[in-house]
Amino acid sequence: MTVLAIDPGREKCGIAVCGPAGVVVHRVIRLDDLPRVAREWTASYKVDLVLFGNRTGSRDVRARLSHLTVPCAVAEERGTTLAARRRYFRDHPPRGWRRLLPRSLQVPWEPYDDYAAIVLAEAYLGRGKDSGRMGGDFPRPS
């Protein structure tokens, strides 16, 4: 199964495609670009399900994606920010003097909403190491 996961926000959102081989593509985009990017990615990557978080901006995202023919599901976002931060620092380890600070005290120097989308997708697919702590009761599409 290939999932397009969206971490919604007020002005920007993280978007990621995860498939059987893992993370295919991920990016942080402006909320205004979401309908176009979602339409292009669902077609290009043969997405089976669109999954988006249930917190900030989820109603707006649902309205913006009403044109999609792919089934949609809502996921509990609790804990995704911290898991995304850990994932971000695993892929982009701090350098210089920042490497001396505990990572728990650091915030990534660029938006990392796309990593939150990856965490949502992997939790849904049952691959994330943190999936058990994130409210793993997801509605399965019928």
Side-chain angles (χ1 to χ4, degrees):
M1 171 178 262
T2 302
V3 175
L4 171 70
I6 301 167
D7 176 48
R10 288 188 178 93
E11 296 177 13
K12 64 183 178 352
C13 60
I15 185 169
V17 174
C18 294
V23 178
V24 177
V25 63
H26 60 97
R27 187 177 306 154
V28 177
I29 61 171
R30 294 177 330 149
L31 194 57
D32 293 337
D33 294 334
L34 179 62
R36 177 186 54 80
V37 173
R39 186 175 49 252
E40 290 172 2
W41 285 16
T42 54
S44 297
Y45 299 108
K46 295 178 178 55
V47 169
D48 300 309
L49 176 76
V50 175
L51 180 71
F52 55 92
N54 67 341
R55 304 275 173 148
T56 305
S58 67
R59 285 188 188 144
D60 189 24
V61 166
R62 182 183 295 228
R64 290 174 188 254
L65 298 179
S66 62
H67 69 282
L68 293 177
T69 58
V70 178
C72 293
V74 179
E76 173 61 51
E77 276 189 67
R78 191 176 324 120
T80 58
T81 301
L82 291 176
R85 188 180 298 176
R86 284 191 301 271
R87 178 83 181 249
Y88 178 88
F89 282 129
R90 188 184 76 202
D91 289 354
H92 307 281
R95 294 181 178 175
W97 63 269
R98 291 180 191 262
R99 65 184 167 78
L100 302 174
L101 294 174
R103 288 188 185 165
S104 61
L105 297 176
Q106 296 187 49
V107 176
W109 41 90
E110 62 186 0
Y112 60 101
D113 306 73
D114 52 338
Y115 282 87
I118 292 169
V119 169
L120 281 173
E122 289 180 342
Y124 181 84
L125 295 170
R127 279 189 277 197
K129 116 178 167 184
D130 295 320
S131 62
R133 293 189 298 240
M134 293 176 32
D137 296 329
F138 296 102
R140 299 290 178 181
S142 52

